[in-house]
């Protein structure tokens, strides 16, 4: 339907466009959650939404192919490579929908999806990175973190769950941790799904209006909504202090779900493309095996 538009060419710079700069001022407030950066010009009667949805199917197929190559290379060649997609967002920000639409394009056998909720007593008895380390996928897998180590500088900071000096030290600890992971073959890509306060209100209202969504409604989200500005400030600190070469942060405007899914899929696809994956060569003599098969 959109054969004339080559997705890779069109999206070459999406990572550059959405990446949080490594240094300098970062102004989350200037990023419009309603916007949709990086889309090509669409001719004819199709809308950007049609285009993005069609592209998502194609990008999904690419992701599935690359994930299989990642898996195969680890299995046959002993490669240590793996990928972790970190998703963070305000409540109702669309983390679950993104997991379904983006990660859902890949083979579940090569995926590990971990949600990080309120720490259990056992988790609290350890260092905050303990549960994160345990969830790092083995070589060959794509991991998705639904919330992450960043909760310990977001909710923990907003609600003073630990003293200031403790959460202040965590930014550096996270950077060291992520650099260590990178050195062991982990490619980490971190995405904040950026919704507006008005959009959150709409999504909360939808949950109250639809009996099939009551289960998603958490009365506590209304309390957290009262801390909106504190959370935005905590996000600015986390994203600007921890967007590194080894593990960059991206902000994806997420009021429009079709844009959000396309953008996250594109960021992940372009990141995985950099790994130059391919299928491993045969570790056996193909002709010999053909002959053996013919006789078997
Ligand atoms: P949804 O957005 O669909 O409601 P969710 O990710 O909010 O899903 P919940 O189980 O409702 O899932 O919430 C998880 C809660 O756990 C969040 O309120 C989050 O802030 C909290 N949490 C996660 N990590 C930590 C942490 N390290 N310390 C304290 N609270 C945490
Ligand atoms: Mg919740």
């Amino acid at each position: 339907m959109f054969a004339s538009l080559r997705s890779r060419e069109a999206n070459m710079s999406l990572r550059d466009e959405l990446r949080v700069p490594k240094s300098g001022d970062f102004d989350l407030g200037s990023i419009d959650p309603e916007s949709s950066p990086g889309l090509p010009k669409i001719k004819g009667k199709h809308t950007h939404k049609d285009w993005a949805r069609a592209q998502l199917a194609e990008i999904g197929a690419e992701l599935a192919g690359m994930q299989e190559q990642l898996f195969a290379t680890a299995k046959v060649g002993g490669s240590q490579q793996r990928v972790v997609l970190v998703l963070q967002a305000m409540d109702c920000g669309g983390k679950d929908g993104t997991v379904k639409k983006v990660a859902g394009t890949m083979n579940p056998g090569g995926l590990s999806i971990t949600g990080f909720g309120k720490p259990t007593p056992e988790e609290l008895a350890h260092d905050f990175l303990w549960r994160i380390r345990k969830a790092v996928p083995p070589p060959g897998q794509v991991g998705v973190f639904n919330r992450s180590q960043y909760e310990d500088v977001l909710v923990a900071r907003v609600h003073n769950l630990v003293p200031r000096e403790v959460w202040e030290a965590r930014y550096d600890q996270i950077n060291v941790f992520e650099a260590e992971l990178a050195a062991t073959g982990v490619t980490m890509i971190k995405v904040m799904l950026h919704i507006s306060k008005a959009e959150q209100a709409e999504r909360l209202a939808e949950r109250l209006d639809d009996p099939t969504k009551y289960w998603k409604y958490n009365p506590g989200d209304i309390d957290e909504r009262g801390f909106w500005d504190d959370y935005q400030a905590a996000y600015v600190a986390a994203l600007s202090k921890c967007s590194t070469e080894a593990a960059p942060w991206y902000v994806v405007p997420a009021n429009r779900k079709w844009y959000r899914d396309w953008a996250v899929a594109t960021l992940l696809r372009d990141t995985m493309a950099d790994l130059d994956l391919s299928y491993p060569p045969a570790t056996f003599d193909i002709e010999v095996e053909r002959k053996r098969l013919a006789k078997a």
Side-chain angles (χ1 to χ4, degrees):
M1 157 154 89
F2 299 102
S4 61
L5 287 165
R6 293 264 299 109
S7 63
R8 272 205 70 78
E9 282 156 28
N11 310 326
M12 240 1 198
S13 63
L14 192 67
R15 282 187 296 174
D16 293 335
E17 217 158 328
L18 302 184
R19 187 186 285 117
V20 176
K22 265 177 286 179
S23 55
D25 289 338
F26 164 61
D27 183 8
L28 184 60
S30 71
I31 302 175
D32 180 2
E34 202 73 40
S35 65
S36 46
L39 294 176
K41 289 199 174 64
I42 303 288
K43 290 197 193 100
K45 62 181 168 49
H46 297 298
T47 63
H48 277 122
K49 183 175 176 179
D50 296 334
W51 183 84
R53 284 291 182 217
Q55 279 295 304
L56 181 62
E58 284 184 28
I59 299 166
E62 284 181 68
L63 286 174
M66 288 192 286
Q67 185 214 26
E68 188 171 78
Q69 291 173 336
L70 185 74
F71 193 83
T73 313
K75 184 167 190 234
V76 176
S79 156
Q80 294 298 301
Q81 279 180 329
R82 42 243 148 108
V83 174
V84 175
L85 169 65
V86 168
L87 294 175
Q88 283 288 160
M90 298 295 285
D91 290 312
C92 303
K95 295 181 277 74
D96 291 332
T98 306
V99 170
K100 193 165 141 187
K101 287 285 178 50
V102 177
T105 61
M106 293 178 272
N107 180 349
L111 275 180
S112 71
I113 297 169
T114 312
F116 294 98
K118 226 168 153 281
T120 62
E122 189 191 19
E123 287 169 349
L124 278 176
H126 290 85
D127 171 65
F128 78 103
L129 293 171
W130 180 74
R131 64 177 184 165
I132 311 292
R133 285 183 208 280
K134 283 205 305 175
V136 172
Q141 296 254 335
V142 174
V144 181
F145 288 178
N146 186 335
R147 302 187 188 267
S148 66
Q149 59 272 28
Y150 286 93
E151 288 296 319
D152 290 283
V153 288
L154 293 167
V155 64
R157 166 177 164 147
V158 169
H159 291 295
N160 301 304
L161 301 181
V162 291
R164 184 183 185 106
E165 57 271 22
V166 173
W167 59 253
E168 266 182 347
R170 285 177 175 167
Y171 301 104
D172 284 342
Q173 290 163 4
I174 289 174
N175 284 337
V176 169
F177 168 67
E178 292 178 358
E180 279 168 14
L181 287 184
T184 62
V186 177
T187 298
M188 188 178 277
I189 153 174
K190 302 178 299 202
V191 176
M192 181 212 182
L193 306 174
H194 182 42
I195 58 163
S196 62
K197 197 173 179 189
E199 180 69 20
Q200 187 193 55
E202 265 182 46
R203 293 184 186 183
L204 286 168
E206 271 167 32
R207 292 177 184 189
L208 288 171
D209 288 343
D210 180 350
T212 70
K213 292 186 176 171
Y214 292 163
W215 65 276
K216 293 191 195 180
Y217 186 82
N218 175 3
D221 288 355
I222 304 291
D223 302 311
E224 289 308 280
R225 187 173 159 75
F227 295 92
W228 183 274
D229 292 343
D230 294 342
Y231 271 105
Q232 298 292 300
Y235 267 104
V236 168
L239 272 56
S240 56
K241 288 177 197 286
C242 300
S243 190
T244 58
E245 195 65 40
W249 265 112
Y250 300 93
V251 175
V252 167
N255 275 13
R256 299 166 193 245
K257 293 174 182 170
W258 55 264
Y259 174 78
R260 171 199 79 198
D261 296 338
W262 170 80
V264 177
T266 299
L267 293 172
L268 183 59
R269 190 270 315 274
D270 291 353
T271 301
M272 288 180 76
D274 276 355
L275 299 178
D276 279 328
L277 296 161
S278 59
Y279 284 102
T283 54
F284 43 83
D285 185 321
I286 299 164
E287 279 315 311
V288 169
E289 293 305 310
R290 283 208 176 109
K291 283 179 191 138
R292 289 181 63 225
L293 174 62
K295 284 187 209 149

